[in-house]
Amino acid sequence: MVTQVTQLIKDGKTALGIELGSTRIKAILIDECQNVIASGNFDWENQLKDGIWTYDLNDVWMGIQAAYAQLVSEIKQQYGIHLTTIGSIGISAMMHGYLAFDKDNHLLVPFRTWRNTITTQAANVLSGNFKFNIPERWSIAHVYQAILNKEQHVSHIAYLTTLAGYVHWRLTGEKVLGVGDASGMFPIDAKTSDYREDFLNIFDNLIESEQVPWQLRTLLPKVLSAGQFAGTLTQEGANQLDPTGILTAGIPLCPPEGDAGTGMVATNSILPKTGNVSAGTSIFSMVVLDRDLVHQYPEIDIVTTPVGDNVAMVHANNCSSDINAWVKMFHEYSQLIHPDQSLNDTYTLLFNQALEGDKDCGEILSIGYFSGESITKVDKGRPLVIRTPESRLTIGNLMRSHIFSAFATLAIGMDILTEKEQINIEQILGHGGIFKTPKIAQILLAASINTPVSVMETAGEGGAWGIALLADYLNHTEMSLAAYLDDIVFKNTSVVTVQPDTDDVTGFTSFKNKFKAAISIEKIAGDIL
């Protein structure tokens, strides 16, 4: 087996996927059977600087190089060879945000990530003019807010892109973007898989009096669909990825995609009536639509799959950050007693205790907001635990409350789809770090959205595997992406499905009602703390 894999690596019958997530940059190399050969990781965190959530672009490259170097080292250790070539490469990253460059390719202002809630005015104006929901985190909201704020850099903008688009551009020289990622910059026309021409015209008219020296359409990346050729790795790009100089240039790349699109691919959720929930620092659901929504909702974004089909996206900025903080505190305490206990052991112990808690969390209410939240109209995040003297404070109830809190804002948005729009969801697949502990988060998510939740054996691989699959799909474009996923990738994949438990659903409903009522407390906390 080692000899066979060694030959595949030498022959370049592989695909590399790199995803820049909110807390981790991950690189995965897969073989022609889509199995993971090697992987590498780099942990990083966003920073709040001058009121802006951001990442330094130097850290982007330090992290990519570190993750890739770890992957290369793993290949050397396991197979005794240097990685000199790759069959195809794909880049994925957090969607949305604001990366603006001038004509000399200089970054004009620090990267403004999806986590910022500083574009409310722009988002409201654009949503009203387009008659189409434009969330605060979308790139178009950021650029229009910069115009409204009279920011000096606006007149110097020559190119706008996302994080995935930026990395791909640096590796290939191509200013392109996958349609799914592009749909988080500016609305996409599902019929053309390109930017909405009518909205581009409305935007140009809207900013006419601002006298900016450009038209929006000249700033945006070219839109590509899955399976289209998106350029090759230049020599400069090869050196950027692998500073040792061993990696050769000329490797083809697939269109760069956002983490929502790669999550859909990694869970085989790209057909109508299917959906997935990706849970990490943020949490979002993606439900592929078989019809247009009747109404427009600020809680629901319309984005697309990597092949351009419309998707209803419910995105909450906050998910696991508060859980992680509490687990790390309990782990710090556990180290005083059992120094050899790992952090993973602590996660498993605490998550399992959540199932031992009362169905209603013992009247303990957690609001795990680290940042603002547009769905509940919260400007500033202040993590809270609220209880009464009668609340039953146990480890199980506290952890159950934290996990329910991670799902509560998503559930508020999902209620609109299922109750107001009567959208039929046949399948929800969960993936992301919160599902690493078997079944716990899966059971509680099923209760939160009152829908069966499935987790595949590949769920832990996440978006890096998803973008590696899109890179590998360049070799299978004779078939549709759906057929490639069904007939090749997931043909023999095992799936564990959990049905919502009636008592758990009742307990979560009670929690959710208190959660919604307590949002006023969260807003006050943001004002005074």
Side-chain angles (χ1 to χ4, degrees), residues 54-71:
T54 187
Y55 296 87
D56 191 296
L57 294 193
N58 289 326
D59 291 341
V60 168
W61 293 108
M62 181 176 67
I64 288 174
Q65 291 168 2
Y68 179 79
Q70 190 180 99
L71 178 149

Side-chain angles (χ1 to χ4, degrees), residues 52-87:
I52 301 292
W53 289 104
T54 187
Y55 296 87
D56 191 296
L57 294 193
N58 289 326
D59 291 341
V60 168
W61 293 108
M62 181 176 67
I64 288 174
Q65 291 168 2
Y68 179 79
Q70 190 180 99
L71 178 149
V72 169
S73 175
E74 188 173 304
I75 289 173
K76 184 69 171 68
Q77 289 175 5
Q78 291 191 22
Y79 306 105
I81 58 173
H82 294 288
L83 184 63
T84 60
T85 188
I86 299 164

Side-chain angles (χ1 to χ4, degrees), residues 98-103 108 143 146-147 153-160 213-214 219:
Y98 187 63
L99 279 163
F101 298 87
D102 66 13
K103 62 182 177 58
L108 290 168
V143 69
I147 292 171
H153 78 273
V154 167
S155 62
H156 300 289
I157 300 174
Y159 183 47
L160 295 169
W214 44 256
L219 307 184

